[in-house]
Amino acid sequence: MLNRNDAICAIATGNGGSIAIVRVSGENAFSILKRCFSPIKRIKNAYQHGRMMYGNVYDESGETIDEAMAVCFYAPNSYTTEDVFEIQMHGGTMSAQAVLKTLVSLGARMAEPGEFTRRAFLNGRIDLSEAEAVMGIVGAKSQSALRASIRQLKGGVSAGIGKAREELISLVALISAATDFPDEIDEDVTAKNVSGRAKKVCDYLISASDKRHARILRQGASVVLAGLPNVGKSSVMNALLSCERAIVTDIPGTTRDVLTESVELNGVRLSLSDTAGLRDTEDTVEKIGVQRARDALKDADVVLYVLDAAREMTDEERENLTEMDDRYIVVLNKSDLDSVISLENAVTISAKTGEGISYLTDKIIEKIGVDAENEDLMTLPRHIECAERATEAINRAIAWIEGGMPLDFAANDLTEALNALGDITGESMNENVIDRVFKDFCVGK
Ligand code: GDP
């Protein structure tokens, strides 16, 4: 795709809304607008920046297509930084399609997917990671994913990457000074300095590109309830969801399948799964449920292992307690009844009365260990992959230095790391990377 400034047009809204918006960007945009739209009343300075005009939109033959609102955004103060106008008309497909056809007949070209945002990027208004954030906002499936994309759009990721790049540039400069002026600059001192500072950049990139954190911010964390039948798993799930969704009965073994619900706690989306009680059974259907429960446990970020505080632990439960890894929280339920169990580190609750539930939610969030407000965290696999390429290159540079090799070797790898980070923000202007980012955009964005 060429970086042109020709007028492009597209329907910016999805199907089925009550309003449809058609957007045009590029040179001649306003002359195109004036040939297919006229305000109903004569208003002074009608075509001012940002001013909504009520009027009619016409086709090539002067026939009214629709009553509409139009608004102009003058370069550079627009989404693309070019002259942009939008026409808002009645929803449905016919009217917007007719307007689009007219715009094309007046010289605009149908936009390619993501071309408006691509222009915003190529014209320097946003960087590549901010352009991707636009897609993240459109596709967000949870509040935490939306917030992560907003942070990214406001330059959260770019700021951290910018600092890391600046540091790498200064390390490459140090190396080149040391190699250019060997009599004046001590190479050993420079080598120590560079490797120390390069390690810090690496540490930053490793923590900012943590895959588990990224997945949890994007998709949410999985929390699985486990325990023997009748300890109150479904009731705990209901208490966490604050609604009656799981079936609660006092016949052991009622939750035969894995029941999953979504809930948002402290900005992090959780998928809560209530599993079949983990017990040996001859019932074929229940057996499948128990197997699914075991599968869900393997993939869980947090497991709530529920015990009934009002009855003695079984041998199986005691054994389970010894096999737990650090994803587990032991939940001592039914605290409203006379307790016969006391366990250190268990969270005591009553699903019936709600006692301890808010403490349990705090513990779950603590166990997940993701700070949804952390500005530096990358959420997109593409960014993480670039950061990994950068850390590998930095580690190679450190290995050269520590192996006593000439500093030039390290400079090459640090430059490679610099380019990998430049792929995140688009500063490297790698055409393949840019194409890859915009290929998933929708038309009109
Ligand atoms: P599950 O088989 O582990 O999912 O257990 P359920 O949630 O179906 O609960 C089993 C029984 O324990 C039901 O009769 C619940 O009403 C009861 N129960 C669950 N939580 C509590 C609690 O906190 N206090 C009391 N007294 N009963 C509870």
Side-chain angles (χ1 to χ4, degrees):
M1 192 193 302
L2 294 173
N3 175 21
R4 285 179 305 196
N5 187 24
D6 58 338
I8 50 171
C9 62
I11 298 173
T13 40
N15 283 335
S18 57
I19 292 174
I21 299 178
V22 167
R23 176 146 74 164
V24 176
S25 174
E27 59 188 5
N28 302 329
F30 299 145
S31 74
I32 292 174
L33 177 65
K34 284 172 188 167
R35 285 159 64 203
C36 66
F37 177 85
S38 66
I40 280 177
K41 280 193 201 146
R42 278 190 165 279
I43 340 168
K44 230 173 129 190
N45 302 327
Y47 289 87
Q48 259 177 18
H49 177 91
R51 179 171 192 161
M52 276 288 184
M53 297 173 281
Y54 169 50
N56 285 313
V57 55
Y58 305 98
D59 66 15
E60 313 91 287
S61 62
E63 198 72 31
T64 304
I65 299 173
D66 201 352
E67 275 189 1
M69 308 287 288
V71 58
C72 297
F73 302 100
Y74 284 77
N77 299 312
S78 71
Y79 186 72
T80 57
T81 78
E82 301 167 346
D83 283 344
V84 169
F85 73 81
E86 289 175 8
I87 298 178
Q88 299 185 1
M89 67 215 84
H90 292 107
T93 46
M94 296 318 289
S95 145
Q97 290 291 353
V99 170
L100 213 53
K101 189 164 165 266
T102 303
L103 293 169
V104 170
S105 77
L106 293 175
R109 162 172 74 76
M110 295 289 288
E112 310 242 354
E115 198 170 357
F116 291 91
T117 311
R118 189 178 185 125
R119 286 188 176 195
F121 162 66
L122 291 172
N123 295 334
R125 190 179 70 78
I126 54 176
D127 71 22
L128 204 54
S129 99
E130 289 160 359
E132 285 169 302
V134 172
M135 272 294 274
I137 291 168
V138 175
K141 302 244 171 347
S142 71
Q143 286 299 319
S144 52
L146 176 64
R147 286 224 293 275
S149 296
I150 298 269
R151 272 201 304 279
Q152 194 180 324
L153 180 65
K154 289 182 178 298
V157 171
S158 315
I161 294 302
K163 276 194 207 137
R165 287 193 88 226
E166 273 169 32
E167 181 68 350
L168 292 177
I169 289 169
S170 105
L171 297 184
V172 173
L174 276 180
I175 291 177
S176 107
T179 44
D180 288 351
F181 305 104
D183 298 337
E184 289 154 51
I185 301 173
D186 185 322
E187 213 179 296
D188 287 345
V189 173
T190 306
K192 239 188 180 155
N193 185 6
V194 169
S195 76
R197 284 167 61 181
K199 271 182 196 149
K200 283 195 184 137
V201 176
C202 238
D203 290 346
Y204 167 77
L205 291 174
I206 288 167
S207 81
S209 63
D210 185 290
K211 279 187 180 146
R212 178 177 167 273
H213 286 193
R215 171 180 56 77
I216 290 174
L217 279 181
R218 242 188 12 258
Q219 302 165 354
S222 66
V223 177
V224 172
L225 288 122
L228 293 196
N230 233 20
V231 291
K233 296 180 296 299
S234 306
S235 310
V236 174
M237 168 132 161
N238 286 343
L240 288 169
L241 291 170
S242 315
C243 69
E244 293 288 320
R245 174 69 173 79
I247 315 152
V248 180
T249 73
D250 50 9
I251 308 159
T254 36
T255 311
R256 297 193 162 197
D257 209 339
V258 178
L259 177 73
T260 301
E261 286 282 341
S262 221
V263 65
E264 198 168 308
L265 293 180
N266 297 15
V268 178
R269 188 162 75 113
L270 306 182
S271 71
L272 284 179
S273 300
D274 180 11
T275 60
L278 295 174
R279 63 168 189 172
D280 292 330
T281 172
E282 286 312 310
D283 181 311
T284 322
V285 178
E286 200 185 339
K287 254 186 182 166
I288 297 171
V290 171
Q291 188 49 47
R292 288 192 183 156
R294 293 195 197 282
D295 291 344
L297 281 180
K298 268 196 281 162
D299 299 333
D301 292 302
V302 174
V303 180
L304 303 181
Y305 189 79
V306 185
L307 293 168
D308 181 341
R311 69 155 173 72
E312 291 292 346
M313 271 193 275
T314 65
D315 290 344
E316 195 180 344
E317 285 173 325
R318 276 200 197 86
E319 198 184 319
N320 285 340
L321 286 182
T322 62
E323 291 165 352
M324 289 176 191
D325 56 41
D326 60 5
R327 298 172 303 146
Y328 279 72
I329 297 175
V330 178
V331 179
L332 214 45
N333 186 34
K334 309 195 188 181
S335 66
D336 55 294
L337 301 176
D338 287 340
S339 176
V340 294
I341 308 178
S342 94
L343 270 179
E344 241 184 279
N345 298 329
V347 177
T348 304
I349 64 158
S350 164
K352 191 172 180 180
T353 65
E355 189 201 335
I357 291 293
S358 86
Y359 181 67
L360 177 60
T361 60
D362 289 348
K363 281 281 164 200
I364 294 172
I365 293 297
E366 192 183 307
K367 189 64 85 183
I368 289 168
V370 169
D371 176 5
E373 303 305 322
N374 185 339
E375 300 265 322
D376 293 329
L377 281 184
M378 298 173 197
T379 53
L380 294 186
R382 191 187 76 78
H383 294 180
I384 291 172
E385 183 217 306
C386 293
E388 282 175 351
R389 260 196 294 135
T391 48
E392 278 164 23
I394 296 172
N395 278 329
R396 278 198 305 275
I398 295 169
W400 289 131
I401 294 172
E402 288 179 350
M405 300 302 278
L407 280 177
D408 275 353
F409 284 49
N412 285 340
D413 284 315
L414 292 179
T415 308
E416 199 177 316
L418 201 54
N419 290 336
L421 296 185
D423 281 346
I424 295 181
T425 52
E427 271 156 297
S428 59
M429 288 311 274
N430 181 332
E431 201 56 38
N432 290 337
V433 171
I434 296 168
D435 284 343
R436 204 173 113 197
V437 166
F438 287 101
K439 106 180 161 1
D440 295 331
F441 269 64
C442 40
V443 175
K445 255 289 158 213

